[in-house]
Amino acid sequence: MIRVGINGYGTIGKRVADAVAAQPDMTVAGVAKTSPNFEATQARKRGFDLYTAVEDRADQFPAAGIETAGPVDDLIADSDVVVDATPSGVGAENRSRYAAHDTPAIYQGGEDASVADVSFNARANFEAAADADHVRVVSCNTTGLSRLLAPLREQYGIEKVRATLVRRGGDPGQTDRGPINDILPDPITIPSHHGPDVNTIFPDLDIDTLGMKVPATLMHMHSINVTLERDPDAADVRDVLAGQSRIMLLGEDLGIDGTGPLKEYAQDMGRPRGDLWENCLWGESVTMDGRDFYCFQAIHQESDVVPENVDAVRAIAGDADAAESIATTNDALGI
Ligand code: NAD
């Protein structure tokens, strides 16, 4: 069993912990939190050992009646791999801690790519993480783009990608985020950081991205144009995309016309927390005009990187190849 510690137990960390616990070949060594709150209580209810991330706040846990297992360094020492799911920038600060314990670490997309030896997407470059000590799972948007672009590149070749990312203002739990009533070019300059981030996965890809932020919390929406090197018909491309395990091709029959019904669908399917681990791509939007491919896809920012973190653990541990790992992760989660 691969012992996985999770440092940072918020939106991403708690989901990664549950996903790790569901795997047949992994166990949660423990989770680390800075302060007691409802998530700390839930971590204990799930049976996870809870470690304290900040020494001067360690006393707050017993004061709140929450049992702890020790400082985060004990967790790092006791783990085969640590998933760092702390806020952007904190992962880079934690890097030396993981190195001091000689424990390989996985960082999230909020960190600069330079934090890690390799940026990771299971579908696109699983093997690149073999033997790496520091691996960064790319952001939710870059994950969504990489999953779509990998098969298009393999099947048809890509000349140029143009993507407009309409991004949620914040996650549902982020009461301090916005905009509340505006539509923001974000950033105003072009390209947004997403294109260069995709280049950490596909270094030679020609890609321009534009970013916007809107008053929504549910999901991101991508409007995509890819000029391919060949000119397949739309039905052919749809079949290729339907064959991707982490792309959910939405059929017209579902009557899902936006991210609201999509999240409702996830809840009706019994998905934990209403999570959508896959890219949600509208089959009807798949259009070919000569060599130009178009589509809309929605990305659930809180959960699409979760299976990628699980695969990154296996890639580092060297216990499986990409296909085996993706299949095991998908099976355990119910993708
Ligand atoms: P979050 O704020 O929901 O959770 C982070 C958790 O880490 C919080 O519980 C916080 O208290 C804790 N923390 C803060 N300092 C810490 C420290 N020094 N040690 C241990 N824990 C600490 O953030 P999140 O949304 O889960 O994001 C985590 C990372 O994942 C970021 O890099 C982010 O960019 C990336 N990410 C977030 C999303 C998203 O939409 N939420 C999607 C993809 C990637």
Side-chain angles (χ1 to χ4, degrees):
M1 291 293 250
I2 311 169
R3 293 182 61 75
V4 183
I6 292 113
N7 189 15
Y9 192 75
T11 304
I12 301 297
K14 65 187 174 186
R15 287 172 165 82
V16 170
D18 287 354
V20 164
Q23 304 304 311
D25 54 347
M26 296 184 195
T27 185
V28 175
V31 305
K33 271 203 63 66
T34 50
S35 47
N37 70 350
F38 70 95
E39 284 159 330
T41 310
Q42 284 300 318
R44 290 297 302 132
K45 281 209 164 144
R46 282 164 153 75
F48 300 145
D49 285 341
L50 184 63
Y51 291 79
T52 54
V54 179
E55 202 180 334
D56 353 335
R57 294 198 221 148
D59 289 350
Q60 293 180 8
F61 289 88
I66 299 175
E67 186 193 346
T68 54
V72 66
D73 281 290
D74 289 359
L75 173 62
I76 298 168
D78 186 40
S79 300
D80 297 318
V81 179
V82 169
V83 175
D84 185 297
T86 60
S88 306
V90 179
E93 289 169 16
N94 287 337
R95 190 184 197 281
S96 55
R97 276 194 133 125
Y98 307 133
H101 289 281
D102 211 11
T103 303
I106 296 167
Y107 305 87
Q108 306 306 310
E111 301 301 325
D112 195 86
S114 61
V115 76
D117 310 321
V118 60
S119 288
F120 178 87
N121 172 257
R123 176 64 180 78
N125 71 343
F126 184 94
E127 286 75 18
D131 301 326
D133 284 333
H134 302 274
V135 172
R136 169 179 166 263
V137 170
V138 289
S139 74
C140 47
N141 281 308
T142 305
T143 294
L145 289 170
S146 300
R147 285 177 181 164
L148 174 66
L149 297 174
L152 291 179
R153 223 163 107 99
E154 287 161 16
Q155 292 288 323
Y156 310 115
I158 290 180
E159 188 175 301
K160 169 99 191 168
V161 181
R162 298 172 186 84
T164 301
L165 315 182
V166 181
R167 290 142 64 218
R168 56 84 177 109
D171 294 339
Q174 290 177 313
T175 48
D176 55 345
R177 296 279 286 260
I180 289 176
N181 180 22
D182 210 337
I183 301 168
L184 308 178
D186 181 60
I188 294 173
T189 51
I190 294 163
S192 68
H193 70 273
H194 305 93
D197 202 34
V198 171
N199 286 135
T200 66
I201 301 290
F202 306 104
D204 57 345
L205 187 74
D206 186 357
I207 176 168
D208 287 337
T209 51
L210 290 79
M212 299 167 74
K213 247 197 218 180
V214 296
T217 61
L218 299 181
M219 300 179 80
H220 302 299
M221 182 75 76
H222 294 175
S223 151
I224 309 236
N225 164 223
V226 182
T227 306
L228 301 172
E229 287 171 356
R230 291 193 277 288
D231 61 345
D233 60 32
D236 191 61
V237 182
R238 220 172 276 129
D239 283 349
V240 167
L241 297 178
Q244 305 300 310
S245 68
R246 290 186 187 160
I247 293 181
M248 185 193 288
L249 206 70
L250 303 169
E252 200 174 344
D253 52 313
L254 291 174
I256 291 176
D257 57 3
T259 58
L262 246 181
K263 287 288 288 160
E264 194 78 10
Y265 182 43
Q267 290 178 60
D268 289 353
M269 284 192 288
R271 287 290 181 90
R273 302 184 176 94
D275 282 351
L276 288 157
W277 297 295
E278 312 90 329
N279 292 18
C280 302
L281 196 151
W282 276 270
E284 288 166 88
S285 72
V286 173
T287 301
M288 287 300 307
D289 178 14
R291 291 189 291 117
D292 276 317
F293 160 89
Y294 295 91
C295 78
F296 287 119
Q297 64 173 5
I299 300 297
H300 186 218
Q301 73 281 357
E302 297 175 283
S303 68
D304 76 326
V305 297
V306 170
E308 307 296 330
N309 273 275
V310 173
D311 290 327
V313 169
R314 264 192 218 99
I316 289 175
D319 286 353
D321 65 20
E324 287 163 355
S325 178
I326 290 171
T328 305
T329 305
N330 289 354
D331 199 41
L333 292 179
I335 293 181

